[in-house]
Amino acid sequence: MAFQLKYTQPFPPTPSESAATTSLISSLKLLSHPEGGYFVQTDKSYNHIIPNPFLTSSPRDPFAQDTSTNTKITAVAGDTRAVGEKDETRAASTTIFYLLSSMSPKGHFHRNKARTMHLHHRGRARYVILHADEWDGTPGTCRIEDWVVGENVEGGERLQWMVEGGKYKASYLLPGDAEEKESGEGVAGCLISEVVVPGFEFTDHDFLTWDRLVLLVGEKSAEEMKWLVHK
Ligand code: GUN
């Protein structure tokens, strides 16, 4: 049956990963990401450092309007960078692998000050974007957009997708795609790369709260997307 309900949790996480997914996680040395899913940083431009464009009260800071209602990320296993530093510089870019799997099939709503280019490798997922950076503050009117990422470009699926700084993003696997697949059919889940420009730092990242979701999209849409809010 076709997948109709866009913002309803399509299935519960499985209690364990398939053998193929476990093998992929260990081959790529992926770690649990606090947004949901797994990741590993594969590149940081240590030899190309630029001034931090997001220092306080910069007009280019997409969080300048509304930091008070948001929760900050606190730590990620295996990541040794300082948290909460007021740093003057940024790496020009960072790159990660990011995997959604049957056991961890959704990435909760969060945003970054930096822009992120996403590149598809395997599987399919739906992305939901709240265009909070272009919202005028009128309750319930924030523009919502969603699309499917995958190989079927003829059917409208995307292989590349840019998410500009200041927008909230969530992602989740589609029904059927999270089930354990026969060997040879590939890994269950969705594997992508993300290139963050300027490079990712915890201080540039935050999660969407329930109250802010209601303010942005209104109570009805917020109820539909509640399961994508980080607890
Ligand atoms: N999300 C996108 N890029 C990164 C990164 O480099 N580190 C972490 N922890 N999360 C990210």
Side-chain angles (χ1 to χ4, degrees):
M1 201 178 76
F3 181 51
Q4 299 286 340
L5 294 167
K6 281 201 221 165
Y7 307 125
T8 300
Q9 183 154 23
F11 52 84
T14 56
S16 61
E17 301 292 10
S18 69
T21 303
T22 305
S23 159
L24 179 69
I25 289 169
S26 93
S27 299
L28 295 181
K29 300 188 171 49
L30 302 179
L31 303 163
S32 282
H33 200 294
E35 292 159 10
Y38 300 88
F39 85 112
V40 65
Q41 193 177 77
T42 52
D43 179 71
K44 184 171 184 177
S45 61
Y46 291 103
N47 294 330
H48 188 182
I49 304 296
I50 60 169
N52 180 356
F54 307 125
L55 285 177
T56 36
S57 66
S58 154
R60 292 185 55 196
D61 182 349
F63 292 12
Q65 311 301 315
D66 50 33
T67 45
S68 58
T69 53
N70 292 288
T71 51
K72 287 276 175 199
I73 199 167
T74 49
V76 173
D79 203 320
T80 53
R81 287 168 295 167
V83 173
E85 238 174 46
K86 277 259 171 218
D87 36 357
E88 302 291 319
T89 59
R90 287 284 177 272
S93 71
T94 54
T95 302
I96 60 166
F97 278 126
Y98 184 72
L99 175 75
L100 291 176
S101 69
S102 343
M103 220 176 118
S104 197
K106 60 181 167 175
H108 296 91
F109 273 121
H110 64 280
R111 68 181 168 172
N112 208 292
K113 291 181 182 181
R115 68 203 303 256
T116 303
M117 172 52 89
H118 303 71
L119 306 157
H120 173 272
H121 301 304
R122 298 176 180 180
R124 290 195 318 147
R126 186 178 298 280
Y127 272 70
V128 186
I129 304 297
L130 308 180
H131 293 275
D133 59 323
E134 53 186 58
W135 179 57
D136 71 3
T138 311
T141 63
C142 180
R143 185 162 72 90
I144 306 166
E145 194 182 4
D146 69 274
W147 59 78
V148 173
V149 308
E151 281 171 34
N152 181 9
V153 286
E154 296 81 4
E157 293 177 359
R158 298 190 190 187
L159 290 171
Q160 293 184 339
W161 56 107
M162 174 58 82
V163 177
E164 295 293 341
K167 299 183 191 292
Y168 291 100
K169 171 182 85 179
S171 55
Y172 57 97
L173 295 184
L174 301 170
D177 292 2
E179 287 150 18
E180 194 164 336
K181 297 194 175 169
E182 297 299 318
S183 73
E185 261 194 80
V187 170
C190 185
L191 177 68
I192 65 163
S193 282
E194 295 188 16
V195 184
V196 184
V197 181
F200 180 91
E201 290 294 341
F202 292 115
T203 43
D204 297 340
H205 173 291
D206 68 0
F207 283 110
L208 178 63
T209 60
W210 166 249
D211 288 351
R212 187 154 176 78
L213 177 62
V214 173
L215 198 59
L216 287 166
V217 302
E219 194 119 15
K220 191 164 167 285
S221 296
E223 275 299 334
E224 258 193 287
M225 298 178 192
K226 196 175 190 164
W227 60 285
L228 288 169
V229 175
H230 190 264
K231 302 213 170 52

